[in-house]
Amino acid sequence: MASIKYTTKGIFEQDFKTTFRGYDPDEVNDFLDEIMKDYDAYDAIIKELKGEIARLKALSANASRPTVEVDESSTLRTERGSSVTNFDILRRLNRLEKEVFGKQIAQD
């Protein structure tokens, strides 16, 4: 990462030598004032983005932790589901057939 060479204060305190045909000191100072404003704006943006990075890292760390919500009914279903036998499956199938085809069987 590149290091910052100048700060707002350093730019403000910078002195230039004046010569017979040098630049207009007022024009240079006005330009440096604008540069200092830009540096302040960039510094504020960097601080804001660093804060956002820290907030998102904290949010990501919290989101990666598994949340434990116990739903007893689903726990019971999974425990039963693992011990399902062919008889249980046939019984469920029989109930479904009665629901779906029961009216047709009763009419025949």
Side-chain angles (χ1 to χ4, degrees):
M1 180 186 287
S3 63
I4 297 174
K5 189 172 183 179
Y6 298 106
T7 63
T8 304
K9 185 178 178 183
I11 294 170
F12 179 73
E13 293 175 351
Q14 177 67 37
D15 286 328
F16 297 97
K17 296 178 187 175
T18 55
T19 62
F20 178 68
R21 294 185 176 223
Y23 293 107
D24 180 20
D26 291 333
E27 187 178 350
V28 171
N29 285 334
D30 291 341
F31 180 72
L32 292 177
D33 287 341
E34 294 299 316
I35 291 174
M36 288 172 23
K37 289 177 186 176
D38 283 350
Y39 265 82
D40 287 337
Y42 286 131
D43 190 42
I45 291 169
I46 289 170
K47 286 179 182 177
E48 179 183 338
L49 292 175
K50 283 182 179 180
E52 182 72 10
I53 288 170
R55 184 185 71 80
L56 291 173
K57 281 183 179 179
L59 184 65
S60 174
N62 290 339
S64 65
R65 293 183 191 152
T67 56
V68 179
E69 293 181 15
V70 177
D71 183 12
E72 292 180 19
S73 62
S74 66
T75 305
L76 292 175
R77 268 188 257 129
T78 56
E79 288 175 3
R80 280 191 224 139
S82 62
S83 63
V84 173
T85 62
N86 287 340
F87 181 73
D88 293 330
I89 294 172
L90 289 173
R91 189 173 356 147
R92 289 181 189 169
L93 186 59
N94 186 22
R95 272 190 263 149
L96 285 172
E97 286 177 344
K98 284 182 183 177
E99 287 293 322
V100 174
F101 301 112
K103 294 176 183 174
Q104 291 177 354
I105 295 172
Q107 289 176 358
D108 290 341

